[in-house]
């Protein structure tokens, strides 16, 4: 139905466009717009369904509503956790995950827990403004990488 390369490039350009919009609106200290938040959340869900990941759009949506870094992290981590659990249940029910791969599940949970702990330690040393800048730079790099990867292939 859709060319995956075209969709991938489109996502990259959408990310760049939304970052630019967010930059200009945040400079004017615009109060959170619930319509924009719902749109970005819906777009994140759609892209997650299409590509299996929507983290960059979700990060934009969460950063646009002015969450503190702790609220941002717990919200994003909760969405990831419940999304991954839902996928895991579906994979097991539809036999996409054979028993020989089940031993990876506790290992991946442990790695996830260690990553969360390490992230918590790092975030305790980063102030709010640096965190917001880091999120925006990360989104920008994801957008550039997505566009470049598509153009180079």
């Amino acid at each position: 139905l859709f060319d995956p390369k075209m969709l991938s490039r489109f996502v990259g350009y959408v990310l760049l466009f939304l970052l630019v919009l967010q930059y200009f609106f945040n400079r004017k200290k615009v109060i959170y717009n619930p319509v924009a938040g719902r749109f970005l959340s819906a777009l994140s869900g759609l892209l997650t369904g299409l590509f299996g990941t929507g983290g960059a759009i979700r990060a934009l949506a969460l950063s646009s509503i002015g969450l503190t870094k702790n609220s941002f992290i717990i919200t994003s981590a909760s969405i990831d956790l419940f999304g991954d659990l839902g996928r895991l249940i579906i994979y097991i029910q539809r036999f996409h995950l054979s028993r020989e791969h089940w031993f990876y599940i506790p290992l991946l949970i442990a790695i996830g827990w260690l990553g969360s702990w390490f992230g918590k330690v790092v975030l305790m040393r980063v102030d709010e403004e640096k965190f917001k800048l880091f999120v925006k730079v990360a989104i920008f790099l994801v957008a550039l990488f997505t566009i470049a990867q598509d153009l180079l292939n």
Side-chain angles (χ1 to χ4, degrees):
L1 179 64
F2 293 107
D3 177 24
K5 287 185 178 185
M6 181 194 68
L7 284 174
S8 180
R9 189 176 330 136
F10 174 74
V11 168
Y13 287 123
V14 166
L15 284 171
L16 288 177
F17 175 73
L18 292 174
L19 263 177
V20 169
L21 279 179
Q22 190 180 64
Y23 173 76
F24 285 111
F25 282 119
N26 279 348
R27 290 180 66 182
K28 296 176 185 174
K29 301 295 181 200
V30 172
I31 297 174
Y32 167 66
N33 181 344
V35 174
R38 287 184 190 112
F39 169 75
L40 288 172
S41 298
L43 185 60
S44 172
L46 174 68
L47 292 175
T48 301
L50 285 174
F51 296 111
T53 182
I57 298 286
R58 182 176 60 240
L60 263 175
L62 293 176
S63 67
S64 73
I65 59 176
L67 296 174
T68 65
K69 68 180 179 181
N70 291 333
S71 296
F72 180 99
I73 295 297
I74 193 67
T75 303
S76 186
S78 297
I79 292 168
D80 283 337
L81 174 66
F82 290 109
D84 290 344
L85 285 175
R87 266 193 300 276
L88 179 63
I89 291 167
I90 291 169
Y91 290 165
I92 290 171
Q93 284 178 342
R94 295 189 179 171
F95 304 106
H96 294 301
L97 186 65
S98 63
R99 289 187 187 265
E100 63 194 32
H101 296 111
W102 286 16
F103 82 91
Y104 288 115
I105 295 172
L107 178 66
L108 292 172
I109 290 171
I111 290 170
W113 183 84
L114 283 173
S116 296
W117 175 81
F118 180 73
K120 177 183 170 185
V121 169
V122 169
L123 282 175
M124 288 171 57
R125 299 169 191 214
V126 175
D127 66 28
E128 290 285 329
E129 291 307 311
K130 286 181 184 174
F131 176 75
K132 289 177 183 178
L133 178 63
F134 173 79
V135 169
K136 289 177 182 169
V137 167
I139 294 168
F140 179 74
L141 291 174
V142 166
L144 286 183
F145 180 77
T146 302
I147 294 167
Q149 183 180 17
D150 178 54
L151 293 176
L152 294 174
N153 289 333

